[in-house]
């Protein structure tokens, strides 16, 4: 059986475009390791994003800037080993595509070749057009990312809502149309007014995935550590927590420590 026919039931970039056309919402979550990816794929997630938010939630950095291409490839390889069906998109990290389209292509090729991922994500619009076009020209699907783009945090100065002013909103609409026109298969819109996100989503054919962009887009993405309540001190308005794993894990570990200290663990049944 060929690789193509084996993957007939897989979610592809075309599946997502069709989902938008059919009005079916797209679910996307970040994952960075084999075990979590396996659970999310089993649960039926449409897209896993190996986000450069790994820099924050896996490595403990304050921003996404420090994570390297090698580290992103390591996370992507682990995720790919855990999934059977969903589409896996990998962030091109800071410094691997800006201002140099040849470097962008080389970085994207390394991700595709070394991890087996299905697509890459690139932050920015007009200013990274050349990089996106060159990556696309090699047959590598590209997802865009506009609005709050965390790799530009030192330009913005804060993580507050973007494009509230008319000029930035106009630029965002122009950028989203550009990404659609040059052939991106989708884009993330992060932390922008819901009305603007709705306008953006209805003005392009590619699916728009929102995070803090309201309900009138084609799908939603969250950082999995936020959804699961592992990052319990991060509480933006857009976040819905489905678990409180920080407390649950801490309780389990406290219980384990108590059992070890009291010699309750291991008992006879747990010994050979
Ligand atoms: O890196 C990431 O997790 C992201 C999401 C916030 C969309 O880009």
């Amino acid at each position: 059986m060929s690789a193509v026919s084996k993957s007939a039931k897989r979610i592809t970039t075309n599946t997502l475009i069709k989902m938008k056309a059919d009005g079916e919402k797209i679910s996307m979550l970040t994952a960075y390791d084999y075990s979590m990816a396996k659970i999310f794929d089993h649960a039926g997630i449409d897209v896993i994003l190996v986000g450069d938010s790994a820099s924050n939630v896996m490595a403990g950095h304050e921003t996404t800037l420090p994570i390297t291409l090698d580290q992103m490839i390591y996370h992507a390889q682990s995720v790919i080993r855990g999934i059977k069906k969903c589409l896996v998109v990998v962030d091109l990290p800071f410094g691997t595509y800006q201002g140099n389209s040849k470097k962008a292509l080389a970085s994207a090729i390394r991700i595709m070749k070394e991890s087996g991922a299905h697509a890459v994500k690139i932050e920015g619009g007009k200013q990274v057009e050349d990089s996106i076009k060159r990556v696309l020209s090699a047959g590598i699907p590209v997802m865009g990312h506009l609005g709050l783009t965390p790799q530009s945090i030192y330009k913005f100065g804060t993580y507050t809502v973007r494009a509230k002013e008319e000029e930035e909103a106009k630029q965002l609409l122009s950028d989203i149309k550009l990404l659609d026109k040059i052939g991106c298969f989708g884009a993330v819109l992060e932390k922008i007014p819901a009305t603007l996100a709705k306008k953006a989503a209805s003005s392009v054919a590619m699916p728009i995935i929102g995070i803090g962009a309201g309900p009138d887009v084609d799908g939603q993405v969250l950082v999995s550590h936020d959804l699961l309540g592992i990052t319990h001190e991060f509480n933006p308005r857009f976040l819905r927590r489905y678990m409180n794993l920080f407390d649950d894990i801490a309780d389990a570990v406290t219980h384990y420590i108590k059992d070890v200290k009291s010699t309750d663990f291991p008992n006879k049944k747990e010994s050979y």
Side-chain angles (χ1 to χ4, degrees), residues 28 30 32 49-54 64 91 121 123 145 150 188 190 211 221-223:
M28 174 161 145
T30 65
Y32 320 96
L49 171 65
V50 183
D52 58 0
S53 50
T64 57
D91 266 333
K121 177 162 80 59
E123 292 186 9
H145 184 158
V188 167
E190 180 165 353
I211 172 164
V221 57
L222 284 175
V223 170

Side-chain angles (χ1 to χ4, degrees), residues 146-147 172 176 187-192 197 200-201 208-213 217:
L146 299 173
L172 186 140
I176 203 76
V188 167
L189 287 182
E190 180 165 353
K191 230 173 169 188
I192 62 166
I208 298 297
I209 314 293
I211 172 164
V217 288

Side-chain angles (χ1 to χ4, degrees), residues 91-125:
D91 266 333
L92 279 188
F94 179 66
T96 65
Y97 63 91
Q98 292 96 338
N100 185 338
S101 65
K102 287 190 179 158
K103 190 169 178 187
L105 178 58
S107 306
I109 287 177
R110 276 202 62 201
I111 286 178
M112 302 298 282
K113 247 187 196 303
E114 294 176 38
S115 75
H118 312 126
V120 298
K121 177 162 80 59
I122 291 180
E123 292 186 9

